[in-house]
Amino acid sequence: MALLSKKPYLSIVIPLYNEEENILPLYEEISHVLKNLRREGEIIFIDDGSTDKSFQILKNLVAKDKRIKVIQFKRNFGQTAALSAGIEFSKGEVVIPMDGDLQNDPNDIPKLLAKLEEGYDVVSGWRKNRKDPYLTRKIPSSIANWLISVITKVKLHDYGCTLKAYRREAIERIRLYGEMHRFIPAYAAWEGARITELTVNHRPRIRGKSKYGITRTFKVLLDLITVKFLGSFSTKPLYIFGGGGAIFLLGGFVSGSVLIYLKLFKGVYMIQSPLLHLTALLITLGFQMLLMGLLAELLVRVYYESLDKKPFVIKEKINI
Ligand code: UDP
Ligand code: MG
């Protein structure tokens, strides 16, 4: 991938939902950091349908500081949607998302940038010393991180940390749904991005309330299934469905053969044997899966062609 320009323009992207007490102190901290860094940048706040004074406070800030941009959602669409809107409207060569509740520390931004400039495309923040409750956050999160690492084959300690740094080109093609913002590094890695981790500071939430409960973990795990499926088989779904279907059909064939053998040579009535049910079930399932695979193949073609998506990512072109 191309080198970053000397002083890349930064886009700091901050989704927030009812964080009225945190916006101003966060803004002060970020401006201070940008000033010391001597970097140009924009700070994009996405008000994810707040019902408190968040939007009013943001509006007042825009009047004061031109670097601030605000997107207000009509209702609460969730942090992932807010992040993807922020990324879409951002202009920076480098995109740095962070939480709006002061739990991430803007003082980590220079470190993340320095690491990115070493030649990485994604620098993932790792809240090594996380200041959150054990039972509802730290334990579920360490299990989730382990599972995500194993399944996506992209090993990171802290997928859930919002504070990360991305080169724009590594993430601009990624579309996000559900709780999927945490999978951005995995998607980017699948497309060939170079990824590293950096420990970042984490602070306890002092003002406002956390917006999540334990149910988030289950949503993340379900999303993981989708991500894995999309990542491994989205261009060739027949390989997975067809593979499964073939195994079922083979099983059905074996159990059917045994059934016929028993009838012909051992005098067992077919209806007496549980194998009859098994054979019928396996053969039906096998055909169903094959057909499902063919349907999925059709869907994939519609998907790629209607969006003009390509099943590959080019690194460089020479003389074309
Ligand atoms: N957030 C959001 N929309 C939501 C929920 C949360 O924009 O529907 C924002 C929230 O304001 C905060 C960030 O996402 O800036 C992380 O949320 P929170 O601090 O509640 O998560 P936790 O740190 O407890 O995991
Ligand atoms: Mg938080």
Side-chain angles (χ1 to χ4, degrees):
M1 289 200 188
L3 285 175
L4 284 172
S5 46
K6 267 238 165 69
K7 288 207 165 178
Y9 188 81
L10 308 182
S11 293
I12 299 174
V13 176
I14 307 172
L16 51 89
Y17 178 45
N18 293 342
E19 304 283 2
E20 58 185 4
E21 298 153 289
N22 293 318
I23 296 173
L24 287 177
L26 178 63
Y27 164 70
E28 294 299 336
E29 286 192 21
I30 295 176
S31 323
H32 187 70
V33 168
L34 286 181
K35 199 165 141 210
N36 287 343
L37 257 178
R38 295 206 190 83
R39 292 294 175 105
E40 302 250 337
E42 57 184 357
I43 311 171
I44 305 183
F45 287 99
I46 304 92
D47 173 11
D48 184 13
S50 297
T51 48
D52 64 358
K53 290 201 219 66
S54 293
F55 185 64
Q56 195 51 49
I57 297 171
L58 290 173
K59 252 165 111 179
N60 296 342
L61 266 183
V62 178
K64 209 173 98 182
D65 186 336
K66 284 210 178 54
R67 294 171 304 177
I68 297 199
K69 295 166 188 177
V70 176
I71 299 167
Q72 185 191 29
F73 279 178
K74 275 209 163 167
R75 64 165 171 87
N76 180 245
F77 283 93
Q79 195 186 348
T80 299
L83 260 178
S84 65
I87 293 173
E88 186 173 335
F89 288 102
S90 68
K91 299 201 178 61
E93 210 177 324
V94 170
V95 178
I96 303 182
M98 65 190 296
D99 281 346
D101 59 356
L102 289 168
Q103 289 200 266
N104 293 136
D105 186 348
N107 290 306
D108 285 319
I109 292 175
K111 284 196 290 175
L112 290 169
L113 264 180
K115 198 78 190 163
L116 205 67
E117 280 162 8
E118 282 176 23
Y120 292 100
D121 302 303
V122 176
V123 183
S124 173
W126 172 16
R127 298 162 294 178
K128 203 168 185 175
N129 188 5
R130 188 169 170 184
K131 302 287 189 330
D132 273 326
Y134 254 100
L135 206 62
T136 53
R137 284 284 185 286
K138 290 208 217 174
I139 294 175
S141 135
S142 58
I143 298 173
N145 281 311
W146 174 79
L147 257 179
I148 298 173
S149 298
V150 170
I151 291 182
T152 62
K153 300 202 177 71
V154 181
K155 291 209 165 36
L156 288 181
H157 287 93
D158 196 356
Y159 271 94
C161 178
T162 313
L163 181 60
K164 298 185 193 297
Y166 300 103
R167 285 177 197 237
R168 156 161 246 100
E169 51 184 19
I171 54 168
E172 61 193 355
R173 282 174 308 277
I174 301 173
R175 293 281 166 270
L176 302 171
Y177 305 92
E179 283 288 317
M180 288 190 184
H181 63 271
R182 66 196 64 243
F183 298 112
I184 298 176
Y187 278 119
W190 288 344
E191 294 207 335
R194 282 156 298 176
I195 295 199
T196 188
E197 274 190 307
L198 195 73
T199 49
V200 294
N201 190 16
H202 193 240
R203 310 182 283 198
R205 191 191 253 277
I206 296 172
R207 283 162 287 214
K209 282 198 202 74
S210 170
K211 310 299 179 300
Y212 296 106
I214 189 83
T215 50
R216 176 170 62 181
T217 315
F218 298 108
K219 291 188 187 162
V220 169
L221 293 181
L222 290 175
D223 281 341
L224 182 59
I225 301 177
T226 317
V227 166
K228 172 68 186 170
F229 181 72
L230 290 180
S232 307
F233 301 108
S234 67
T235 54
K236 283 311 294 171
L238 191 57
Y239 290 171
I240 183 168
F241 287 112
I247 292 172
F248 281 127
L249 282 178
L250 193 72
F253 178 74
V254 171
S255 95
S257 308
V258 174
L259 191 65
I260 290 170
Y261 168 83
L262 289 177
K263 176 176 166 64
L264 293 182
F265 299 103
K266 301 280 179 208
V268 180
Y269 287 116
M270 277 196 182
I271 201 102
Q272 285 176 326
S273 165
L275 285 178
L276 183 62
H277 284 112
L278 187 66
T279 308
L281 184 71
L282 288 175
I283 290 181
T284 317
L285 273 179
F287 274 115
Q288 289 283 356
M289 280 196 84
L290 272 176
L291 290 177
M292 209 134 80
L294 289 172
L295 275 182
E297 287 281 330
L298 273 182
L299 284 179
V300 165
R301 279 162 182 64
V302 172
Y303 173 71
Y304 277 91
E305 276 155 36
S306 65
L307 296 176
D308 207 17
K309 270 173 93 84
K310 302 278 179 273
F312 49 77
V313 187
I314 294 174
K315 186 170 182 185
E316 206 174 315
K317 284 190 232 158
I318 298 177
N319 209 13
I320 286 182

